[in-house]
Amino acid sequence: SFCAGGVPSLSYQELKELKKTNVLHIDVRERSEIERFGKIPESVNIPLGELVEALQMDPVKFKEQYNQKMPSKSDPVVFSCLSGTRSKKALGFATSLGFN
């Protein structure tokens, strides 16, 4: 299940279309889940427990840790997890930090 601002959930096809644009896809599953179920292409894994800290990091440190440019508060970001519960929490965290 995928969550994007203003869109409660996206289908995989909608996500694929979005990924053709400049959208950052953050997978908030645990690393053990990624190892078990596989990584989604072109996504960055930031487990939910690290997300609030990650979104407040220095951009240089963010790039070092996640090998990805840190999103600005106006960049489009999509969160995903296994069932949709964590991605909704992630969306709430990001919104509360000022991401739109």
Side-chain angles (χ1 to χ4, degrees):
S1 185
F2 306 99
C3 278
V7 184
S9 75
L10 295 163
S11 70
Y12 183 66
Q13 197 53 48
E14 287 169 316
L15 179 68
K16 277 175 75 171
E17 287 304 307
L18 258 181
K19 288 177 98 158
K20 290 176 185 172
T21 65
N22 184 29
V23 66
L24 175 62
H25 177 193
I26 299 177
D27 188 334
V28 296
R29 292 177 298 164
E30 295 303 311
R31 290 189 175 88
S32 58
E33 291 176 271
I34 305 276
E35 284 163 20
R36 190 173 156 203
F37 300 111
K39 184 179 188 293
I40 299 169
E42 294 167 27
S43 67
V44 57
N45 175 222
I46 306 177
L48 188 62
E50 289 176 27
L51 185 68
V52 172
E53 190 184 343
L55 292 177
Q56 299 179 88
M57 265 181 188
D58 173 77
V60 174
K61 188 168 187 273
F62 185 95
K63 181 131 176 55
E64 279 171 11
Q65 187 152 341
Y66 299 109
N67 198 23
Q68 177 75 46
K69 182 180 171 286
M70 185 172 173
S72 78
K73 291 197 166 37
S74 60
D75 286 343
V77 179
V78 171
F79 296 102
S80 67
C81 63
L82 201 57
S83 68
T85 308
R86 286 171 290 182
S87 53
K88 282 189 179 66
K89 283 186 182 155
L91 190 59
F93 289 154
T95 307
S96 70
L97 290 170
F99 286 82
N100 59 18

